[in-house]
């Protein structure tokens, strides 16, 4: 099965996505997601200029060898641009192997460990009341786990709050330059525990609750938050601090039993090695699109399992349906599965451009048995929605200091 061509697409069917299509002499093609939010075109250039010429003529069955070739062969190891590019190729090769054997990717990984995939949804609002109303709506839709984010009183805008937007898939068009958002740790720490207190008062203890700090605290501040949230027993507290220095998490761990999750920006097992070995985290949030595709995610999960760390792949609106499908196959197989983040399937434009093998029902995703990843990409339709340059926000303190967004 020789690779005859590789096409790379950047489109914006409401959100920007980079899609890799590997064509072969069998007539079959494979699809991969290589979307890196806010830096999409760097990955497009990497794939077009540096990867494509090396792969034409290679055997598409050699997934492992191609992974090693692109990783070791670059010499410049790791980094989000390189790894997102490799991830897109890797997914497309697994998709191809599935198609040529007639098997869904989860079968190639070792078969299903579960019949359905537990997800957590997002509830947010401009006030505690609004956030809790939205939580109630998700509970009515069958969600068993929900992440709560709320506008912080006294701050103009807050991470994870949609404000006047209908959903996450409406956000893309309005960011020709990075918007600036304010941050104030004191206001945040004084407020967040009351959100969870009221959530438990209103909805009891059956629903799993989560929260994303989005890396805005120092280790000892995060420890204080973890302790304050203990009575509300979160499934996990996410990204309490940035994890460039992995030993930061030991500080938090030493002070609180609130479970910790991190990893959405990781692009290698090396980003998580110490966190896992020291048992400083409970859930690993790396994503197939940003962490080396299915080949690397499988290895990370196996390593994490030794330390009873479970997987909880990042599932934002800036990963394409192809990336989400890759997660679904991994989630169906992985023995140490935790939970999958799920924010919906996007709007009409997305569903015309991408088809996928997933169905949501009562708090779970169900994966069908289509061969490969079970996805398709309509390039004709996608060409109607050209890529739009768009940035993530940046964050500043009241005095203007740039802080972590
Ligand atoms: C996130 C994302 O889903 C999450 O937990 O932290 O919203 C993240 O900010 C975006 O994916 C960045 O592109
Ligand atoms: Mg997050």
């Amino acid at each position: 099965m020789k690779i005859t061509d590789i096409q790379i697409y950047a489109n914006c069917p409401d959100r920007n996505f980079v899609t890799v299509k590997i064509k072969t002499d069998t007539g079959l093609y494979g699809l991969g997601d290589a979307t890196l939010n806010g830096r999409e075109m760097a990955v497009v250039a990497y794939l077009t200029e540096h990867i494509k010429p090396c792969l034409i003529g290679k055997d598409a069955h050699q997934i492992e060898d191609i992974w090693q070739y692109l990783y070791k062969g670059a010499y410049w190891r790791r980094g989000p641009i390189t790894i997102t590019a490799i991830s897109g190729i890797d997914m497309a090769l697994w998709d191809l192997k599935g198609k040529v054997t007639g098997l869904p990717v989860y079968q190639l990984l070792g078969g299903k460990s579960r019949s359905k995939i537990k997800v957590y949804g997002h509830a947010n609002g401009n006030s505690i009341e609004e956030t809790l109303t939205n939580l109630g709506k998700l509970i009515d839709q069958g969600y068993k786990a929900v992440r709560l984010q709320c506008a912080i009183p006294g701050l103009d805008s807050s991470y994870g709050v949609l404000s006047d937007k209908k959903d996450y898939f409406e956000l893309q068009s309005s960011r020709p330059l990075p918007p600036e958002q304010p941050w104030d740790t004191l206001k945040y720490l004084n407020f967040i525990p009351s959100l969870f207190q009221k959530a438990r008062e209103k909805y009891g203890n059956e629903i799993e609750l989560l929260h994303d700090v989005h890396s805005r605290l120092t280790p000892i501040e995060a420890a204080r938050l973890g302790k304050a949230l203990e009575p509300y027993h979160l499934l996990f507290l996410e990204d309490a601090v940035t994890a460039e220095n992995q030993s930061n998490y030991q500080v938090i761990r030493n002070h609180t039993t609130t479970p910790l999750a991190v990893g959405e920006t990781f692009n290698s097992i090396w980003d998580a090695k110490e966190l896992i070995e020291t048992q400083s985290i409970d859930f690993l949030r790396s994503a197939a699109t940003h962490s080396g595709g299915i080949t690397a995610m499988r290895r990370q999960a196996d390593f994490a399992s030794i330390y009873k760390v479970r997987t909880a792949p990042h599932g934002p609106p800036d990963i394409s349906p192809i990336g989400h499908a890759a997660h679904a196959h991994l989630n169906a197989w992985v023995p140490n599965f935790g939970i999958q983040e799920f924010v919906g399937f996007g709007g009409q434009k997305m569903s015309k451009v991408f088809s996928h093998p997933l169905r949501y029902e009562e708090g779970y995703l169900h994966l069908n048995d289509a061969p490969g990843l079970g996805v398709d990409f309509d390039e004709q339709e996608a060409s109607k929605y050209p890529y739009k340059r768009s940035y993530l926000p940046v964050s500043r303190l009241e005095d203007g200091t740039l802080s972590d967004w």
Side-chain angles (χ1 to χ4, degrees):
M1 186 164 59
K2 275 207 178 355
I3 297 176
T4 51
D5 194 13
I6 301 180
Q7 284 165 334
I8 296 111
Y9 304 87
N11 305 100
C12 188
D14 288 333
R15 303 287 308 214
N16 281 324
F17 297 118
V18 175
T19 304
V20 177
K21 182 172 187 174
I22 300 185
K23 294 186 173 175
T24 65
D25 60 359
T26 60
L28 295 170
Y29 59 86
L31 294 166
D33 177 25
T35 308
L36 185 63
N37 196 9
R39 295 293 184 270
E40 295 86 356
M41 299 315 271
V43 184
V44 170
Y46 195 109
L47 282 160
T48 313
E49 297 296 324
H50 305 297
I51 287 188
K52 178 175 168 175
C54 303
L55 296 189
I56 306 291
K58 281 208 181 295
D59 179 1
H61 271 304
Q62 297 294 99
I63 301 178
E64 187 65 54
D65 186 67
I66 289 175
W67 198 98
Q68 300 295 336
Y69 179 79
L70 296 176
Y71 183 77
K72 294 178 179 161
Y75 182 64
W76 312 106
R77 293 178 181 220
R78 304 165 63 183
I81 312 288
T82 298
I83 300 294
T84 304
I86 295 177
S87 302
I89 297 288
D90 183 80
M91 268 181 229
L93 294 175
W94 279 96
D95 187 31
L96 269 166
K97 199 183 279 293
K99 283 175 176 161
V100 81
T101 55
L103 292 171
V105 167
Y106 72 79
Q107 291 290 16
L108 305 178
L109 292 169
K112 275 189 183 175
S113 300
R114 56 195 55 78
S115 58
K116 51 188 182 175
I117 297 158
K118 189 173 174 183
V119 298
Y120 70 89
H122 288 197
N124 61 74
N126 291 313
S127 63
I128 292 185
E129 204 189 3
E130 195 186 359
T131 307
L132 296 190
T133 303
N134 290 333
L135 168 58
K137 287 181 190 162
L138 290 186
I139 292 173
D140 291 345
Q141 289 167 34
Y143 280 86
K144 315 282 182 274
V146 179
R147 182 186 100 160
L148 299 184
Q149 307 293 136
C150 185
I152 311 302
L155 294 184
D156 283 350
S157 59
S158 302
Y159 165 77
V161 179
L162 290 169
S163 294
D164 54 343
K165 304 282 182 194
K166 141 174 111 3
D167 60 34
Y168 290 109
F169 299 95
E170 217 188 304
L171 291 176
Q172 193 80 64
S173 53
S174 55
R175 292 169 164 179
L177 284 173
E180 300 212 347
Q181 291 184 349
W183 179 247
D184 188 313
T185 297
L186 184 67
K187 288 189 171 74
Y188 172 78
L189 285 178
N190 283 341
F191 173 70
I192 284 297
S194 59
L195 169 65
F196 285 87
Q197 183 196 348
K198 299 223 165 83
R200 285 293 176 217
E201 277 166 20
K202 188 160 180 184
Y203 295 106
N205 292 318
E206 288 301 304
I207 181 85
E208 307 248 42
L209 297 176
L210 306 87
H211 179 66
D212 189 349
V213 182
H214 223 259
S215 308
R216 288 156 186 220
L217 299 176
T218 65
I220 203 69
E221 289 163 353
R224 169 181 155 192
L225 180 63
K227 279 178 94 161
L229 293 175
E230 275 173 24
Y232 318 116
H233 42 90
L234 271 57
L235 178 65
F236 61 66
L237 182 67
E238 179 189 337
D239 284 359
V241 299
T242 57
E244 286 135 314
N245 181 354
Q246 297 180 42
S247 63
N248 280 345
Y249 273 77
Q250 284 163 45
V251 177
I252 314 173
R253 196 58 149 186
N254 287 340
H255 290 284
T256 180
T257 57
T258 293
L260 302 171
V262 67
E264 67 184 40
T265 64
F266 292 178
N267 39 73
S268 160
I269 184 61
W270 299 105
D271 294 326
K273 178 176 173 287
E274 188 183 330
L275 288 166
I276 294 171
E277 279 176 343
T278 57
Q279 307 195 43
S280 301
I281 58 168
D282 302 280
F283 294 87
L284 181 61
R285 301 231 332 116
S286 45
T289 306
H290 305 128
S291 209
I294 291 168
T295 299
M297 288 283 280
R298 182 176 57 167
R299 264 191 203 115
Q300 292 185 19
D302 276 342
F303 178 60
S305 75
I306 299 171
Y307 298 90
K308 303 267 180 239
V309 172
R310 288 181 283 168
T311 61
H314 188 204
D318 46 271
I319 282 178
S320 90
I322 302 170
H324 290 296
H327 286 163
H329 287 274
L330 283 156
N331 295 337
W333 153 74
V334 68
N336 49 323
F337 174 66
I339 197 160
Q340 173 64 57
E341 181 181 22
F342 175 62
V343 295
F345 294 119
Q348 273 202 343
K349 287 183 197 164
M350 269 180 69
S351 61
K352 282 190 178 156
V353 172
F354 296 99
S355 60
H356 61 77
L358 300 170
R359 178 173 54 84
Y360 170 84
E361 197 185 311
E362 294 292 319
Y364 292 89
L365 285 176
H366 295 256
L367 175 61
N368 73 25
D369 280 339
L373 292 174
V375 291
D376 213 348
F377 173 70
D378 184 335
E379 45 204 84
Q380 255 348 69
E381 189 65 24
S383 68
K384 296 182 188 162
Y385 313 111
Y387 163 77
K388 287 183 199 160
R389 182 158 49 87
S390 179
Y391 291 95
L392 283 163
V394 297
S395 201
R396 287 189 191 277
L397 308 183
E398 204 186 357
D399 68 0
T401 307
L402 199 85
S403 71
D404 293 298
W405 183 78

